[in-house]
Amino acid sequence: MSRSGPVSRASSFAHILKKNVGDQTGHKKVSSFANVTSEDSGRDQYGRPKVGIAELMERYKSGQTHSVSALHQLSQVLGFQLDLKETVTTGNVTTLYFAYCAVIDGVEYKTGMGVNKKEAKAKAAQLALQDLIPVLENQGAFHGAVAGIPGPPPLPVREPPTSEPHSGILVHERKNNPLEEQILNAVKESFTKLLSMYPELSGCGSTVAAFVTQSSTGYEVVAIGTGSYNTKESITPNGRILHDSHAVVTARRSLLRYLYRHLLLFFSKNNHLQEKSIFQQDEKTKLLSLKSDVKLHLYMNQLPKGAAQIPPHLRLNPLSMSAWEVNNQISLHVTIEGKVFSVFSSTVDQIASKVVSMSTTDKITQWQVLGFQGALLSHFMEPVYVSSILIGDESCSNTRGMEIAVNQRVDGVTTKLPMYYCVVRPHISLVTNITPPGVPSAQRTLSINWSQGDVSLEVVNGLEGKTVEESPFKSGPALASRLCKAAMLSRFNLVAKEAQREDLMCAASYREAKVQMMAKPYQEAKSVFKSYLALKGFGSWVEKPSVSEHFSM
């Protein structure tokens, strides 16, 4: 990645503008920067945001929009790849300062420094905008930057550059960088150690996901999950059936248990325990956030089910691609007893009696907008996102499907979301697989889960949604999993008590706890997210019956 001066950065950005918003269809070009704005706020008939570059920049200049938000919004309107990357300080500045720079389509902009990461990112975004705004104002053409252009809605897809003209696909070489190596080593060491304690469970590791924290003390695996199925059981009103046991979903629910533990540490009256917590508190909002040196990473040894598994040979060309291919490849998907279907599939309409879960890919897309913490934890904390997604699927030759599914499908939604919520674009890369091939068929339906601090593994039958009798950990004779909704509500009530939140302790049910006052921004963001996907043509999010959340402890 090159470190370019202001001149080369400006010329690079001018090239980006020409590439992404140049006149390609014969429509008239917009003649000046001032005329870029569309008809006020809102959406056109195709669900595209009616916000122009001029309006975005005016909001930023008047102080209505934070520099980081402005830069992200600009990237969505103009379609360039943006990353705020931590870097080194310049000029031998003391290391007590943090340093970040904006990277736009591979070009690094000036380094911003601050006493914490939030301040450094804001400064980096501000410096980048100082370079970009003059370029924008001097450009004479902004076709595509506004909504209202006649014709079919463009697919939210940018084809990758290709070095193989016949295939049209960019193949990523698996060269792990030092950060990825440390994450992989941590996952491999933890997973191998867990299975060595229970060799009889070695067949449960065909599909593995893990969350890893990165901090000043190193890399730690904090949650692990395996599994490839969702339950065939009916929806129950007691919250004690685990409906989805796919690896990433299992690992994410294990991550929630880890977050609950650290909330208890933070709200304890013991200073020593509070220091061990990964959380810090905003004095104004009183919401918690991860400490400035803590980042979260996700490892998967297989591509998640759903749109991420788009066939590598399929070119998403709006001039040649049929509507059927669009609907069935990059649409929302559901899983039924481990099988995956597009929401547009006729099969989905014929299985009303089955438990349906959204695909793992769609859930990852949702979590990168709403945060991995979910509704209940939103009472206490700001959204938590992953910085990178590592894919150890040896059969995968490129990250194109994940980029489309997780990033490009939600381009433009940030401006509609309430405070704290945004589209966080994780760095997605192919890495080596840390798990051995081959799984006994008798154990394919089993799912294991573990969270940092657990003494033993829990084994769940994915089709039954309950812990198996042979599981090293069992919560009780009913065999309800420690990951089920009832277990999460129990932890929520415990944290509410420790935090002395009487407003939360009076919730009559799981559902009421999810929609109380402090979780309303989360529910608003969730509604915006789902409506946006539907408006963009990806289909409707399939909801489970509300009866599954009307239980209390």
Side-chain angles (χ1 to χ4, degrees):
M1 196 173 291
S2 61
R3 292 184 177 274
S4 306
V7 175
S8 60
R9 279 194 296 265
S11 61
S12 295
F13 189 69
H15 176 71
I16 293 169
L17 282 177
K18 183 178 180 181
K19 177 187 71 173
N20 291 344
V21 301
D23 187 13
Q24 299 171 351
T25 62
H27 294 299
K28 291 182 179 179
K29 295 181 179 180
V30 181
S31 59
S32 68
F33 176 73
N35 293 330
V36 171
T37 53
S38 59
E39 305 173 3
D40 301 323
S41 59
R43 300 180 184 280
D44 66 359
Q45 61 178 316
Y46 304 115
R48 293 175 294 192
K50 289 186 177 180
V51 180
I53 301 173
E55 185 177 344
L56 291 178
M57 291 300 94
E58 185 57 36
R59 290 177 184 175
Y60 167 66
K61 290 179 179 179
S62 64
Q64 298 178 55
T65 304
H66 189 271
S67 60
V68 174
S69 298
L71 196 57
H72 275 290
Q73 291 168 12
L74 196 60
S75 74
Q76 291 167 1
V77 173
L78 295 179
F80 59 75
Q81 188 69 33
L82 170 66
D83 184 27
L84 286 173
K85 185 186 76 169
E86 188 167 12
T87 183
V88 295
T89 55
T90 57
N92 296 319
V93 178
T94 173
T95 54
L96 292 177
Y97 282 85
F98 291 91
Y100 274 81
C101 70
V103 183
I104 296 177
D105 278 4
V107 177
E108 292 186 11
Y109 282 67
K110 297 173 185 175
T111 298
M113 291 181 289
V115 294
N116 54 47
K117 293 188 176 183
K118 187 175 183 180
E119 183 179 309
K121 288 180 180 179
K123 186 62 177 177
Q126 184 180 348
L127 290 170
L129 287 168
Q130 286 178 4
D131 281 344
L132 302 186
I133 291 175
V135 179
L136 285 170
E137 292 175 334
N138 290 331
Q139 292 298 311
F142 295 102
H143 166 73
V146 294
I149 298 173
L155 289 174
V157 175
R158 293 186 294 276
E159 290 291 343
T162 175
S163 57
E164 300 179 19
H166 297 294
S167 66
I169 298 300
L170 178 67
V171 177
H172 294 250
E173 191 173 355
R174 295 173 190 268
K175 287 186 177 181
N176 304 337
N177 62 39
L179 182 149
E180 293 169 348
E181 286 290 352
Q182 293 186 71
I183 294 174
L184 289 176
N185 289 338
V187 174
K188 186 173 184 178
E189 180 181 346
S190 296
F191 190 63
T192 302
K193 183 178 179 180
L194 285 172
L195 287 188
S196 67
M197 298 167 61
Y198 308 99
E200 69 277 12
L201 301 177
S202 60
C204 298
S206 62
T207 309
V208 180
F211 287 93
V212 181
T213 58
Q214 174 190 352
S215 67
S216 56
T217 59
Y219 297 81
E220 289 187 291
V221 178
V222 299
I224 292 177
T226 75
S228 302
Y229 287 86
N230 58 312
T231 180
K232 63 181 180 181
E233 298 296 317
S234 301
I235 293 289
T236 59
N238 61 14
R240 287 168 171 78
I241 293 292
L242 196 61
H243 297 298
D244 193 338
S245 294
H246 286 84
V248 178
V249 178
T250 300
R252 183 257 178 176
R253 294 187 76 82
S254 297
L255 173 68
L256 295 183
R257 298 181 62 240
Y258 169 78
L259 296 177
Y260 274 116
R261 285 194 180 109
H262 279 262
L263 284 174
L264 290 173
L265 289 176
F266 183 88
F267 290 120
S268 71
K269 304 299 186 291
N270 186 308
N271 290 336
H272 179 65
L273 293 179
Q274 287 178 334
E275 289 177 1
K276 290 185 175 181
S277 173
I278 60 172
F279 292 113
Q280 60 186 5
Q281 189 172 44
D282 186 299
E283 290 302 320
K284 293 182 180 179
T285 66
K286 300 303 180 183
L287 289 175
L288 305 186
S289 62
L290 296 181
K291 288 179 178 176
S292 59
D293 68 330
V294 178
K295 289 183 179 180
L296 192 63
H297 306 278
L298 170 61
Y299 167 82
M300 300 178 286
N301 77 331
Q302 289 190 13
L303 273 176
K305 293 178 180 178
Q309 296 189 0
I310 180 173
H313 64 273
L314 184 63
R315 292 187 60 81
L316 301 181
N317 184 343
L319 298 179
S320 62
M321 188 177 184
S322 71
W324 183 90
E325 287 176 307
V326 175
N327 290 344
N328 286 276
Q329 300 299 341
I330 62 175
S331 67
L332 296 174
H333 287 71
V334 296
T335 56
I336 305 162
E337 295 183 15
K339 299 181 178 67
V340 63
F341 304 92
S342 164
V343 292
F344 295 109
S345 169
S346 59
T347 306
V348 177
D349 299 326
Q350 301 168 7
I351 39 77
S353 62
K354 300 287 186 180
V355 173
V356 176
S357 297
M358 295 304 298
S359 75
T360 305
T361 297
D362 297 328
K363 288 185 175 182
I364 293 174
T365 306
Q366 175 183 255
W367 295 329
Q368 281 301 110
V369 175
L370 307 182
F372 282 73
Q373 79 292 331
L376 290 183
L377 284 175
S378 296
H379 287 286
F380 307 104
M381 56 194 290
E382 295 177 14
V384 172
Y385 304 102
V386 298
S387 300
S388 65
I389 297 177
L390 282 61
I391 303 169
D393 193 331
E394 300 292 349
S395 64
C396 179
S397 60
N398 64 83
T399 61
R400 180 170 173 249
M402 281 294 290
E403 293 283 357
I404 293 170
V406 177
N407 293 333
Q408 296 179 28
R409 290 193 300 179
V410 288
D411 270 351
V413 74
T414 296
T415 57
K416 308 299 178 184
L417 296 169
M419 185 179 293
Y420 302 120
Y421 296 93
C422 61
V423 177
V424 174
R425 296 174 179 270
H427 177 69
I428 302 173
S429 58
L430 297 179
V431 296
T432 53
N433 193 345
I434 58 99
T435 58
V439 179
S441 58
Q443 293 185 317
R444 288 187 182 277
T445 62
L446 298 183
S447 166
I448 63 176
N449 67 78
W450 172 88
S451 178
Q452 189 184 74
D454 289 343
V455 176
S456 55
L457 295 172
E458 180 183 67
V459 184
V460 173
N461 185 320
L463 289 175
E464 303 295 333
K466 291 185 176 183
T467 309
V468 299
E469 287 284 358
E470 302 77 20
S471 173
F473 174 87
K474 291 190 289 289
S475 58
L479 299 178
S481 169
R482 60 190 178 188
L483 302 184
C484 70
K485 289 181 178 179
M488 294 299 170
L489 181 60
S490 176
R491 292 183 185 91
F492 172 80
N493 289 335
L494 183 59
V495 171
K497 182 178 179 180
E498 287 295 313
Q500 299 180 342
R501 291 286 302 275
E502 295 184 7
D503 57 320
L504 300 180
M505 290 187 283
C506 65
S509 67
Y510 181 89
R511 184 168 185 81
E512 184 176 326
K514 286 178 63 174
V515 299
Q516 283 195 42
M517 183 62 68
M518 290 303 292
K520 283 187 176 179
Y522 178 90
Q523 296 298 340
E524 179 186 344
K526 188 176 182 179
S527 177
V528 169
F529 165 76
K530 294 178 179 179
S531 297
Y532 190 79
L533 288 174
L535 284 169
K536 297 283 278 187
F538 297 114
S540 298
W541 196 274
V542 179
E543 301 282 359
K544 288 187 176 66
S546 60
V547 67
S548 66
E549 297 183 344
H550 285 164
F551 64 91
S552 58
M553 299 304 294

